């Protein structure tokens, strides 16, 4: 994905908003752990080579790009919603809430937000949703990397608190090993009790 892809979207934004943030989330389909959103405002004068949808990158490459995003973007931030809140408001609302948190935490206020998927947040900012935006837009790809790396690190820390579930390996997704651990140990406090397969 050429880094110019994001600029193509910027050119279509009404009033030519110059400060554009890409937003994406990670962990929506997991049985445990938080949903994490990333928001990134890229610096057009310091392009980051190799930005892709985080799911298509190796862990090593994601970590390398995460450090480049931290060093070279104009701003980046993270929003986190935990399992208890996910159960209370549902995963879609939790993902949107995490995105809103991430955008509001940016040290620069964006004129426009580009969001991966089809759902907009309630923020009073011009928003454009882009299906498969993490493979079409550089800033969304960067946000997907920030969200994925952050969440993976959180799950590795959770593994220390709740050993035996394999969180550092499957990151909370419904793998065979995870489902076996659930049958053996039952759910722990970071499991999403409203999700099928947990109880």
């Amino acid at each position: 994905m050429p880094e110019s892809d994001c600029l193509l979207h910027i050119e279509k934004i009404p009033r030519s908003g110059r400060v554009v943030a890409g937003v994406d989330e990670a962990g929506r389909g997991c049985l445990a752990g938080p949903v994490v959103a990333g928001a990134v405002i890229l610096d057009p004068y310091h392009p980051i080579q190799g930005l892709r949808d985080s799911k298509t990158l190796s862990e090593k490459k994601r970590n390398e790009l995460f450090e480049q995003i931290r060093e070279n973007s104009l701003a980046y931030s993270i929003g986190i919603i935990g399992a208890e809140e996910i159960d209370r408001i549902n995963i879609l609302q939790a993902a949107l809430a995490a995105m809103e948190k991430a955008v509001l935490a940016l040290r620069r206020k964006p004129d426009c937000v580009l969001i991966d998927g089809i759902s907009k947040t309630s923020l009073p900012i011009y928003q454009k949703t882009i299906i498969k935006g993490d493979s079409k837009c550089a800033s969304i790809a960067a946000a997907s990397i920030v969200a994925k790396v952050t969440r993976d690190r959180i799950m590795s820390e959770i593994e220390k608190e709740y050993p035996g579930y394999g969180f550092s390996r499957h990151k909370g997704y419904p793998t065979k090993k995870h489902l076996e651990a659930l049958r053996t140990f039952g759910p722990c406090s970071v499991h999403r009790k409203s999700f099928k397969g947990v109880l």
Side-chain angles (χ1 to χ4, degrees):
M1 179 185 67
E3 281 69 32
S4 61
D5 278 6
C6 188
L7 299 180
L8 296 178
H9 290 296
I10 292 173
E11 291 171 358
K12 298 176 183 177
I13 295 169
R15 300 183 302 279
S16 299
R18 297 304 180 197
V19 180
V20 177
V23 182
D24 199 5
E25 53 77 23
R28 190 165 167 173
C30 296
L31 301 182
V35 61
V36 177
V40 178
I41 300 173
L42 292 174
D43 185 346
Y45 297 103
H46 294 90
I48 299 170
Q49 302 298 320
L51 290 174
R52 299 283 188 282
D53 171 9
S54 63
K55 296 185 291 294
T56 69
L57 299 168
S58 67
E59 182 178 3
K60 179 182 178 182
K61 188 61 177 177
R62 281 197 300 268
N63 285 321
E64 290 174 356
L65 286 168
F66 181 52
E67 292 308 314
Q68 291 184 47
I69 293 165
R70 291 176 61 180
E71 293 173 7
N72 297 308
S73 63
L74 294 177
Y76 81 96
S77 59
I78 297 157
I80 301 172
I81 300 293
E84 186 175 344
E85 185 70 358
I86 291 170
D87 286 335
R88 190 180 73 82
I89 64 175
N90 78 48
I91 187 58
L92 173 58
Q93 295 306 314
L96 291 173
M99 291 179 182
E100 291 178 7
K101 276 189 164 186
V103 172
L104 292 173
L106 287 166
R107 66 173 180 261
R108 293 188 61 173
K109 183 179 178 180
D111 299 306
C112 170
V113 176
L114 304 178
I115 303 174
D116 182 51
I118 60 173
S119 301
K120 294 182 179 180
T121 74
S122 62
L123 294 174
I125 302 173
Y126 178 81
Q127 301 170 57
K128 180 178 177 65
T129 56
I130 304 171
I131 297 174
K132 296 185 178 179
D134 48 9
S135 63
K136 298 175 181 177
C137 176
S139 64
I140 295 179
S144 79
I145 292 167
V146 167
K148 172 68 173 167
V149 170
T150 300
R151 189 179 187 282
D152 284 357
R153 291 176 180 178
I154 290 172
M155 296 309 294
S156 292
E157 288 300 310
I158 289 175
E159 169 76 8
K160 298 175 185 178
E161 186 175 358
Y162 297 101
Y165 289 96
F167 290 132
S168 63
R169 295 188 300 278
H170 54 64
K171 307 299 190 280
Y173 283 93
T175 65
K176 181 180 178 181
K177 292 290 185 181
H178 189 187
L179 294 174
E180 287 176 354
L182 272 168
R183 287 193 291 270
T184 301
F185 304 114
C188 67
S189 67
V190 298
H191 277 100
R192 303 171 183 177
K193 310 303 191 297
S194 61
F195 277 44
K196 183 178 179 181
V198 172
L199 295 177

